[in-house]
Amino acid sequence: MMKQWKLKEIVLMSIFGVVFAVIYLLFYFFGQGLRNFLTPFGLAPFGYEVIFGIWFIVSIIAAYVIRKPGAAFWSELIAGTVQVLIGSPAGPRLIISAAIQGLGAEVVFAATRYRNFSLYVLVLAGMSAAVFSYAWGWFQSGLAALTPGLIAATFAVRVLSGALLAGLLGKYISDQLAQTGVLRGYALGKELQEKREKEAS
């Protein structure tokens, strides 16, 4: 899957994975605080759901920037593995969760044969990661024990979070990085450069 990859692309994907592992871990504690805050209102199940999309964002960014098969999957897996190594309370099973989330995003990019990285596709990838993660959580996190109404509500919130915090925000962050010129050696940076040259001609 990675035969066509350049060394610098592998390095960048790994950097993304490590950086977002730290961010993910911070959001784990933020989500716990949010859950505690919402508990008196009977909304504890939504504590993590509203921010769940943040845990898919590295797969969107890596795929959008590098545009190679496997970028979404491997970046998410790296992030999950690093989280475990730096002491995530979620434990080793987090690696499986990360792999499933990354696969959820990857299938959308694969469906386009890695040729379409429009906002629409990025948002769909974030939503797909949410669907895959919810399916895994159904068995692993006890989501099946919720009432039908809560299942529908938490599922909808997670998918929306995936669309906004992974798809939309992931594109925004990537575009901002590309504007600085640090990604000029990668697919997204080259696309931006070609666009500038066309506008200037």
Coordinates of all heavy atoms in Angstrom, one line a residue, residues 85-167:
L85 N 1.0 4.8 24.2 CA 2.4 4.9 24.7 C 2.6 6.0 25.7 O 3.4 5.9 26.6 CB 3.4 5.0 23.5 CG 3.4 3.8 22.6 CD1 4.4 4.1 21.4 CD2 3.9 2.5 23.3
I86 N 1.9 7.1 25.5 CA 2.1 8.2 26.4 C 1.1 8.2 27.6 O 1.0 9.1 28.4 CB 2.0 9.6 25.7 CG1 0.6 9.8 25.0 CG2 3.1 9.7 24.6 CD1 0.4 11.1 24.3
G87 N 0.3 7.1 27.7 CA -0.5 6.9 28.9 C -1.9 7.2 28.8 O -2.5 7.6 29.8
S88 N -2.6 7.0 27.7 CA -4.0 7.2 27.6 C -4.8 6.3 28.6 O -4.5 5.1 28.6 CB -4.5 7.0 26.2 OG -5.9 7.1 26.2
P89 N -5.7 6.8 29.3 CA -6.5 6.0 30.2 C -7.3 4.9 29.5 O -7.8 4.0 30.1 CB -7.4 7.0 30.9 CG -6.7 8.3 30.8 CD -6.0 8.2 29.5
A90 N -7.5 5.1 28.2 CA -8.3 4.2 27.4 C -7.7 2.9 27.2 O -8.3 1.8 26.9 CB -8.7 4.8 26.0
G91 N -6.3 2.8 27.4 CA -5.6 1.6 27.3 C -5.4 1.1 25.8 O -5.8 1.7 24.9
P92 N -4.8 -0.1 25.7 CA -4.5 -0.7 24.4 C -5.6 -0.8 23.4 O -5.4 -0.8 22.2 CB -3.9 -2.1 24.8 CG -3.4 -1.9 26.2 CD -4.4 -1.0 26.8
R93 N -6.8 -1.0 23.9 CA -8.0 -1.2 23.0 C -8.2 0.1 22.1 O -8.8 0.0 21.1 CB -9.2 -1.5 23.7 CG -9.7 -0.3 24.6 CD -11.0 -0.8 25.4 NE -11.5 0.3 26.2 CZ -12.5 0.2 27.0 NH1 -13.1 -0.9 27.1 NH2 -12.9 1.3 27.8
L94 N -7.5 1.2 22.5 CA -7.6 2.4 21.8 C -7.0 2.3 20.4 O -7.4 2.9 19.4 CB -6.9 3.6 22.5 CG -6.9 4.9 21.9 CD1 -8.3 5.5 21.6 CD2 -6.1 5.9 22.7
I95 N -6.0 1.4 20.3 CA -5.3 1.1 19.0 C -6.3 0.6 18.0 O -6.4 0.9 16.8 CB -4.1 0.2 19.2 CG1 -3.1 0.9 20.1 CG2 -3.5 -0.1 17.8 CD1 -1.9 0.0 20.4
I96 N -7.2 -0.4 18.5 CA -8.2 -0.9 17.6 C -9.2 0.1 17.2 O -9.6 0.2 16.0 CB -8.9 -2.1 18.3 CG1 -7.9 -3.2 18.7 CG2 -10.0 -2.7 17.4 CD1 -8.6 -4.3 19.5
S97 N -9.6 1.0 18.2 CA -10.6 2.1 17.9 C -10.0 3.0 16.8 O -10.7 3.4 15.9 CB -10.9 2.9 19.1 OG -11.5 2.0 20.1
A98 N -8.7 3.3 16.9 CA -8.1 4.2 16.0 C -8.0 3.6 14.6 O -8.3 4.3 13.6 CB -6.6 4.5 16.5
A99 N -7.7 2.3 14.5 CA -7.7 1.6 13.2 C -9.0 1.6 12.6 O -9.1 1.8 11.4 CB -7.2 0.2 13.5
I100 N -10.1 1.4 13.3 CA -11.4 1.4 12.8 C -11.8 2.8 12.3 O -12.4 2.9 11.2 CB -12.4 0.8 13.8 CG1 -12.2 -0.7 14.1 CG2 -13.9 1.1 13.4 CD1 -12.9 -1.3 15.2
Q101 N -11.5 3.8 13.1 CA -11.8 5.2 12.7 C -11.1 5.5 11.4 O -11.6 6.1 10.5 CB -11.4 6.1 13.8 CG -12.3 6.0 15.0 CD -11.8 6.7 16.3 OE1 -12.3 6.6 17.3 NE2 -10.7 7.4 16.1
G102 N -9.8 5.2 11.3 CA -9.0 5.4 10.2 C -9.5 4.7 8.9 O -9.6 5.3 7.8
L103 N -10.0 3.5 9.1 CA -10.6 2.7 8.0 C -11.8 3.4 7.5 O -12.1 3.4 6.3 CB -10.8 1.3 8.5 CG -11.4 0.3 7.5 CD1 -10.4 0.1 6.3 CD2 -11.7 -1.0 8.1
G104 N -12.6 3.9 8.5 CA -13.9 4.6 8.1 C -13.6 5.7 7.2 O -14.4 5.9 6.2
A105 N -12.6 6.5 7.5 CA -12.2 7.6 6.6 C -11.6 7.1 5.3 O -11.9 7.7 4.2 CB -11.3 8.6 7.3
E106 N -10.8 6.1 5.4 CA -10.1 5.6 4.2 C -11.0 5.1 3.1 O -10.7 5.3 1.9 CB -9.1 4.5 4.7 CG -8.1 4.0 3.6 CD -7.0 5.0 3.3 OE1 -6.5 5.6 4.3 OE2 -6.6 5.1 2.2
V107 N -12.1 4.5 3.5 CA -12.9 3.9 2.5 C -13.6 4.9 1.6 O -13.8 4.7 0.4 CB -14.1 3.0 3.1 CG1 -13.5 1.8 3.8 CG2 -14.9 3.8 4.0
V108 N -13.8 6.1 2.1 CA -14.4 7.2 1.3 C -13.3 7.7 0.2 O -13.7 7.9 -0.9 CB -14.8 8.4 2.2 CG1 -15.3 9.6 1.3 CG2 -15.9 7.9 3.1
F109 N -12.1 7.9 0.7 CA -11.1 8.3 -0.3 C -10.8 7.2 -1.3 O -10.6 7.5 -2.5 CB -9.8 8.6 0.5 CG -9.9 9.8 1.4 CD1 -9.8 9.6 2.8 CD2 -10.3 11.1 0.9 CE1 -9.9 10.7 3.6 CE2 -10.4 12.1 1.8 CZ -10.2 11.9 3.2
A110 N -10.8 5.9 -0.9 CA -10.6 4.8 -1.8 C -11.8 4.8 -2.8 O -11.5 4.4 -4.0 CB -10.6 3.5 -1.0
A111 N -13.0 5.1 -2.4 CA -14.1 5.1 -3.3 C -13.9 6.1 -4.5 O -14.5 5.9 -5.6 CB -15.4 5.4 -2.6
T112 N -13.2 7.1 -4.2 CA -12.9 8.1 -5.3 C -11.6 7.8 -6.0 O -11.2 8.5 -6.9 CB -12.7 9.5 -4.7 OG1 -11.5 9.6 -4.0 CG2 -13.9 9.9 -3.8
R113 N -11.0 6.6 -5.7 CA -9.7 6.2 -6.2 C -8.6 7.3 -5.9 O -7.7 7.4 -6.7 CB -9.8 5.9 -7.7 CG -10.7 4.8 -8.1 CD -10.7 4.5 -9.5 NE -11.6 3.4 -9.8 CZ -11.8 2.8 -11.0 NH1 -11.1 3.3 -12.1 NH2 -12.6 1.8 -11.2
Y114 N -8.8 7.9 -4.8 CA -7.8 8.9 -4.3 C -7.6 10.1 -5.3 O -6.6 10.6 -5.5 CB -6.5 8.3 -4.0 CG -6.7 7.2 -2.9 CD1 -6.8 5.9 -3.3 CD2 -6.7 7.5 -1.6 CE1 -7.0 4.9 -2.4 CE2 -6.9 6.5 -0.6 CZ -7.1 5.2 -1.0 OH -7.3 4.2 -0.1
R115 N -8.7 10.4 -6.0 CA -8.7 11.5 -7.0 C -9.5 12.7 -6.7 O -9.4 13.7 -7.3 CB -9.2 10.9 -8.4 CG -8.3 9.9 -9.0 CD -8.9 9.3 -10.2 NE -8.1 8.2 -10.8 CZ -8.5 7.4 -11.8 NH1 -9.7 7.6 -12.3 NH2 -7.7 6.5 -12.2
N116 N -10.3 12.6 -5.7 CA -11.2 13.7 -5.3 C -11.0 14.0 -3.8 O -11.3 13.2 -2.9 CB -12.7 13.3 -5.5 CG -13.6 14.4 -5.3 OD1 -13.3 15.4 -4.7 ND2 -14.8 14.3 -5.9
F117 N -10.5 15.2 -3.5 CA -10.3 15.7 -2.2 C -11.0 17.0 -1.9 O -10.5 17.9 -1.3 CB -8.8 15.8 -1.9 CG -8.1 14.4 -1.9 CD1 -7.6 13.9 -3.1 CD2 -8.0 13.7 -0.7 CE1 -7.0 12.7 -3.1 CE2 -7.4 12.5 -0.7 CZ -6.8 11.9 -1.9
S118 N -12.2 17.1 -2.5 CA -13.0 18.3 -2.3 C -13.6 18.3 -0.9 O -13.5 17.3 -0.1 CB -14.2 18.2 -3.3 OG -15.1 17.1 -3.0
L119 N -14.1 19.4 -0.5 CA -14.7 19.6 0.8 C -15.8 18.5 1.0 O -15.9 18.0 2.1 CB -15.3 21.0 1.0 CG -16.0 21.3 2.3 CD1 -15.1 21.0 3.5 CD2 -16.6 22.7 2.3
Y120 N -16.6 18.3 0.0 CA -17.7 17.3 0.1 C -17.1 15.9 0.5 O -17.7 15.3 1.4 CB -18.4 17.2 -1.2 CG -19.4 16.2 -1.3 CD1 -20.7 16.3 -0.7 CD2 -19.2 15.0 -2.1 CE1 -21.7 15.3 -0.7 CE2 -20.2 14.0 -2.2 CZ -21.4 14.2 -1.5 OH -22.4 13.2 -1.6
V121 N -16.0 15.5 -0.1 CA -15.4 14.2 0.1 C -14.8 14.2 1.5 O -14.9 13.2 2.3 CB -14.4 13.9 -0.9 CG1 -13.6 12.6 -0.5 CG2 -15.1 13.6 -2.3
L122 N -14.2 15.3 1.9 CA -13.6 15.3 3.3 C -14.6 15.2 4.3 O -14.5 14.6 5.4 CB -12.8 16.6 3.4 CG -11.6 16.8 2.5 CD1 -10.9 18.1 2.8 CD2 -10.6 15.7 2.6
V123 N -15.7 15.9 4.1 CA -16.9 15.9 5.1 C -17.4 14.4 5.2 O -17.7 13.9 6.2 CB -17.9 16.9 4.7 CG1 -19.2 16.6 5.5 CG2 -17.4 18.3 5.0
L124 N -17.6 13.8 4.0 CA -18.1 12.4 4.0 C -17.1 11.5 4.7 O -17.6 10.6 5.4 CB -18.3 12.0 2.5 CG -19.5 12.4 1.8 CD1 -19.6 11.8 0.4 CD2 -20.8 11.9 2.5
A125 N -15.8 11.7 4.5 CA -14.9 10.9 5.2 C -15.0 11.0 6.7 O -14.9 10.0 7.5 CB -13.4 11.3 4.7
G126 N -15.2 12.3 7.2 CA -15.4 12.5 8.6 C -16.6 11.8 9.1 O -16.6 11.2 10.2
M127 N -17.7 11.8 8.3 CA -18.9 11.2 8.7 C -18.8 9.7 8.7 O -19.3 9.0 9.6 CB -20.0 11.6 7.8 CG -20.4 13.1 7.9 SD -21.5 13.7 6.6 CE -23.0 12.9 7.1
S128 N -18.1 9.2 7.7 CA -17.9 7.7 7.6 C -17.0 7.2 8.8 O -17.3 6.2 9.4 CB -17.1 7.4 6.3 OG -16.9 6.0 6.2
A129 N -16.0 8.0 9.2 CA -15.2 7.6 10.4 C -16.1 7.5 11.6 O -16.0 6.7 12.5 CB -14.1 8.6 10.6
A130 N -17.1 8.5 11.7 CA -18.0 8.5 12.8 C -18.9 7.3 12.8 O -19.2 6.7 13.9 CB -18.9 9.8 12.8
V131 N -19.4 6.9 11.6 CA -20.3 5.7 11.5 C -19.5 4.4 11.9 O -20.0 3.6 12.7 CB -20.8 5.5 10.1 CG1 -21.5 4.2 9.9 CG2 -21.7 6.7 9.8
F132 N -18.3 4.3 11.4 CA -17.5 3.1 11.8 C -17.2 3.1 13.3 O -17.2 2.0 13.9 CB -16.1 3.2 11.0 CG -16.2 2.5 9.6 CD1 -17.1 3.0 8.7 CD2 -15.4 1.5 9.3 CE1 -17.2 2.4 7.4 CE2 -15.4 0.9 8.0 CZ -16.3 1.4 7.1
S133 N -16.8 4.2 13.8 CA -16.5 4.3 15.3 C -17.7 4.0 16.1 O -17.6 3.4 17.2 CB -15.9 5.7 15.6 OG -16.9 6.7 15.7
Y134 N -18.9 4.4 15.7 CA -20.1 4.2 16.4 C -20.4 2.7 16.4 O -20.9 2.1 17.4 CB -21.3 5.0 15.9 CG -22.4 5.2 16.9 CD1 -22.4 6.3 17.7 CD2 -23.4 4.2 17.0 CE1 -23.5 6.4 18.7 CE2 -24.4 4.4 18.0 CZ -24.4 5.5 18.8 OH -25.4 5.6 19.7
A135 N -20.3 2.1 15.3 CA -20.5 0.6 15.1 C -19.6 -0.2 16.1 O -20.0 -1.1 16.7 CB -20.3 0.2 13.7
W136 N -18.3 0.3 16.2 CA -17.4 -0.4 17.1 C -17.8 -0.1 18.5 O -17.8 -1.0 19.4 CB -16.0 0.1 16.8 CG -14.9 -0.2 17.9 CD1 -14.3 0.7 18.6 CD2 -14.5 -1.5 18.3 NE1 -13.4 0.1 19.5 CE2 -13.5 -1.3 19.3 CE3 -14.8 -2.8 17.8 CZ2 -12.8 -2.3 19.9 CZ3 -14.1 -3.8 18.5 CH2 -13.1 -3.6 19.5
G137 N -18.2 1.1 18.8 CA -18.6 1.5 20.2 C -19.9 0.8 20.6 O -20.1 0.6 21.8
W138 N -20.7 0.3 19.6 CA -21.9 -0.4 19.9 C -21.5 -1.7 20.7 O -22.2 -2.1 21.7 CB -22.5 -0.8 18.6 CG -23.8 -1.5 18.8 CD1 -24.0 -2.9 18.8 CD2 -25.1 -1.0 18.9 NE1 -25.4 -3.2 19.0 CE2 -26.1 -2.0 19.1 CE3 -25.6 0.4 19.0 CZ2 -27.4 -1.8 19.2 CZ3 -27.0 0.6 19.1 CH2 -27.9 -0.5 19.2
F139 N -20.4 -2.3 20.4 CA -20.0 -3.5 21.1 C -19.0 -3.2 22.2 O -19.0 -3.8 23.3 CB -19.3 -4.5 20.1 CG -20.2 -4.9 19.0 CD1 -20.1 -4.3 17.7 CD2 -21.2 -5.8 19.1 CE1 -20.9 -4.6 16.7 CE2 -22.1 -6.2 18.1 CZ -21.9 -5.6 16.8
Q140 N -18.1 -2.3 22.0 CA -17.0 -2.0 22.9 C -17.3 -1.1 24.0 O -16.8 -1.2 25.1 CB -15.8 -1.5 22.1 CG -14.5 -1.3 22.9 CD -14.3 0.1 23.3 OE1 -14.8 1.0 22.6 NE2 -13.7 0.3 24.4
S141 N -18.2 -0.1 23.8 CA -18.5 0.9 24.8 C -19.9 0.8 25.4 O -20.2 1.7 26.1 CB -18.3 2.3 24.1 OG -16.9 2.5 23.7
G142 N -20.6 -0.2 25.1 CA -21.9 -0.3 25.7 C -23.0 0.6 25.1 O -24.0 0.9 25.8
L143 N -22.8 1.1 23.9 CA -23.8 2.0 23.3 C -25.1 1.3 23.1 O -26.2 1.9 23.2 CB -23.3 2.6 22.0 CG -22.1 3.5 22.1 CD1 -21.6 3.9 20.7 CD2 -22.5 4.8 22.8
A144 N -25.1 0.0 23.0 CA -26.3 -0.8 22.8 C -27.2 -0.7 24.0 O -28.4 -1.0 23.9 CB -26.0 -2.2 22.5
A145 N -26.7 -0.4 25.2 CA -27.5 -0.3 26.4 C -28.3 1.0 26.5 O -29.2 1.1 27.3 CB -26.6 -0.4 27.6
L146 N -28.1 1.9 25.6 CA -28.8 3.2 25.6 C -30.3 2.9 25.1 O -30.5 2.0 24.4 CB -28.1 4.2 24.8 CG -26.7 4.7 25.2 CD1 -26.2 5.7 24.2 CD2 -26.7 5.3 26.6
T147 N -31.1 3.9 25.4 CA -32.5 3.8 24.9 C -32.5 4.1 23.4 O -31.5 4.8 22.9 CB -33.4 4.8 25.6 OG1 -32.9 6.1 25.3 CG2 -33.4 4.6 27.1
P148 N -33.5 3.6 22.7 CA -33.5 3.9 21.2 C -33.4 5.4 20.9 O -32.7 5.8 19.9 CB -34.8 3.3 20.8 CG -35.1 2.2 21.8 CD -34.6 2.7 23.1
G149 N -34.0 6.2 21.7 CA -34.0 7.7 21.5 C -32.6 8.2 21.6 O -32.1 9.0 20.8
L150 N -31.9 7.7 22.7 CA -30.5 8.2 22.9 C -29.5 7.7 21.9 O -28.6 8.3 21.5 CB -30.0 7.8 24.3 CG -30.3 8.8 25.5 CD1 -29.9 8.2 26.8 CD2 -29.6 10.1 25.2
I151 N -29.8 6.4 21.4 CA -28.9 5.9 20.4 C -29.0 6.7 19.1 O -28.0 7.1 18.5 CB -29.4 4.4 20.1 CG1 -29.0 3.5 21.2 CG2 -28.7 3.9 18.8 CD1 -29.5 2.1 21.1
A152 N -30.2 7.1 18.7 CA -30.4 7.9 17.5 C -29.8 9.3 17.7 O -29.2 9.8 16.8 CB -31.9 8.0 17.2
A153 N -30.0 9.9 18.9 CA -29.5 11.2 19.1 C -28.0 11.2 19.2 O -27.3 12.1 18.6 CB -30.1 11.8 20.4
T154 N -27.3 10.3 19.9 CA -25.9 10.3 20.0 C -25.2 9.9 18.7 O -24.2 10.5 18.4 CB -25.4 9.3 21.1 OG1 -26.0 8.0 20.9 CG2 -25.8 9.7 22.5
F155 N -25.9 9.1 17.9 CA -25.4 8.7 16.6 C -25.4 9.9 15.7 O -24.4 10.2 15.0 CB -26.2 7.6 16.0 CG -25.8 7.2 14.6 CD1 -24.6 6.5 14.3 CD2 -26.5 7.7 13.5 CE1 -24.2 6.2 13.0 CE2 -26.1 7.4 12.2 CZ -25.0 6.6 12.0
A156 N -26.5 10.7 15.7 CA -26.6 11.9 14.9 C -25.6 12.9 15.3 O -24.9 13.5 14.4 CB -28.0 12.4 15.0
V157 N -25.4 13.1 16.6 CA -24.4 14.1 17.0 C -23.0 13.7 16.7 O -22.2 14.5 16.2 CB -24.5 14.3 18.6 CG1 -23.4 15.1 19.1 CG2 -25.9 14.9 18.9
R158 N -22.7 12.4 16.8 CA -21.3 12.0 16.4 C -21.0 12.2 14.9 O -20.0 12.6 14.5 CB -21.1 10.5 16.8 CG -19.6 10.1 16.6 CD -19.3 8.7 17.0 NE -19.6 8.4 18.4 CZ -19.1 7.3 19.0 NH1 -18.3 6.5 18.4 NH2 -19.3 7.2 20.3
V159 N -22.0 11.8 14.1 CA -21.8 12.0 12.6 C -21.7 13.5 12.3 O -20.8 13.8 11.5 CB -23.0 11.4 11.9 CG1 -23.0 11.7 10.4 CG2 -23.0 9.8 12.1
L160 N -22.5 14.3 12.9 CA -22.4 15.8 12.7 C -21.0 16.3 13.2 O -20.4 17.1 12.5 CB -23.5 16.5 13.4 CG -23.5 18.0 13.3 CD1 -23.7 18.4 11.8 CD2 -24.6 18.6 14.1
S161 N -20.6 15.8 14.3 CA -19.3 16.2 14.8 C -18.1 15.7 13.9 O -17.2 16.5 13.6 CB -19.0 15.5 16.2 OG -17.8 15.9 16.7
G162 N -18.3 14.5 13.3 CA -17.3 14.1 12.3 C -17.3 14.9 11.1 O -16.2 15.2 10.5
A163 N -18.4 15.4 10.6 CA -18.5 16.2 9.5 C -17.8 17.6 9.7 O -17.1 18.1 8.9 CB -20.0 16.5 9.1
L164 N -18.1 18.2 10.9 CA -17.6 19.5 11.2 C -16.2 19.5 11.7 O -15.4 20.3 11.2 CB -18.6 20.2 12.2 CG -20.0 20.4 11.7 CD1 -20.9 21.0 12.8 CD2 -20.1 21.2 10.4
L165 N -15.9 18.8 12.8 CA -14.6 18.8 13.5 C -13.6 18.0 12.7 O -12.4 18.3 12.9 CB -14.8 18.3 14.9 CG -15.7 19.2 15.8 CD1 -15.6 18.6 17.3 CD2 -15.2 20.6 15.8
A166 N -13.9 17.0 11.9 CA -12.9 16.3 11.2 C -12.9 16.8 9.7 O -11.8 17.3 9.3 CB -13.2 14.8 11.2
G167 N -14.0 16.8 9.0 CA -14.0 17.2 7.6 C -13.8 18.6 7.4 O -12.8 19.0 6.7

